[in-house]
Amino acid sequence: EKALADYIGKIYNAIPVDLGDKTTRMDKLFIRDGRVVCIAEIKHREMSLSDLYQFGTYLISYDKIDRGVALSRILHVPFFLFVYLIHSDDIALFKISDETGKEVCNYTVEKTETKRNCNGGMAIRENAYIAFDGMTIIKGDTNGAATEHKERTGSEEDKV
């Protein structure tokens, strides 16, 4: 996660900052010129971009969206979800809320059974299924090393 956060920070000219310990509900704040510029949730997935497209949506706990949007509203910064797709070395970027905390991505919420955590087990929880219509793809560089921002698609509003 640290390597990916550093890579994202270099792309957007911002410094990633940890929040609390490993049990914190959000992963990072990004800071530029002494000011918070966004909140970020950062995920790694053992899949490629084409694998992701086969699912039709991106699954994330609704709790992550709800808490990120609440922080976005309080701090007056946008909330982003970054998903590193290990097999294709791509980063899928979803802008979840704008700087007012207004949700700007399309998703549905359903109660479904999913893995409790990375250590296993199952849990029934509210999950969000995020549509790809607002997704931006950032081409990575192997091992998360930021040497060059190779490609970026999507709108200007996705800028951090």
Side-chain angles (χ1 to χ4, degrees), residues 55-89:
F55 285 105
T57 58
Y58 180 75
L59 169 83
I60 187 170
S61 164
Y62 176 67
D63 185 56
K64 294 279 187 184
I65 289 181
D66 191 44
R67 290 176 188 273
V69 169
L71 280 171
S72 170
R73 193 173 298 120
I74 291 166
L75 297 176
H76 298 273
V77 296
F79 168 45
F80 292 96
L81 167 64
F82 294 92
V83 183
Y84 178 56
L85 304 168
I86 295 167
H87 295 172
S88 59
D89 201 27

Side-chain angles (χ1 to χ4, degrees), residues 28 31 33 39 46 67 69 71-72 85 102-103 143 149 152 154:
K28 301 284 182 197
I31 307 237
D33 299 326
I39 302 158
E46 289 280 345
R67 290 176 188 273
V69 169
L71 280 171
S72 170
L85 304 168
K102 178 184 173 200
E103 294 180 21
N143 300 319
H149 181 193
R152 186 165 185 280

Side-chain angles (χ1 to χ4, degrees), residues 59-139:
L59 169 83
I60 187 170
S61 164
Y62 176 67
D63 185 56
K64 294 279 187 184
I65 289 181
D66 191 44
R67 290 176 188 273
V69 169
L71 280 171
S72 170
R73 193 173 298 120
I74 291 166
L75 297 176
H76 298 273
V77 296
F79 168 45
F80 292 96
L81 167 64
F82 294 92
V83 183
Y84 178 56
L85 304 168
I86 295 167
H87 295 172
S88 59
D89 201 27
D90 293 307
I91 302 167
L93 162 63
F94 299 91
K95 185 175 186 179
I96 306 298
S97 68
D98 66 14
E99 65 280 353
T100 68
K102 178 184 173 200
E103 294 180 21
V104 295
C105 73
N106 295 320
Y107 66 90
T108 58
V109 178
E110 297 177 26
K111 276 193 178 181
T112 55
E113 185 176 38
T114 56
K115 281 202 262 183
R116 179 176 306 278
N117 57 39
C118 62
N119 297 319
M122 298 301 286
I124 295 176
R125 62 175 60 126
E126 286 188 311
N127 288 303
Y129 295 84
I130 303 174
F132 297 142
D133 59 351
M135 179 174 66
T136 298
I137 300 302
I138 301 168
K139 289 296 186 182

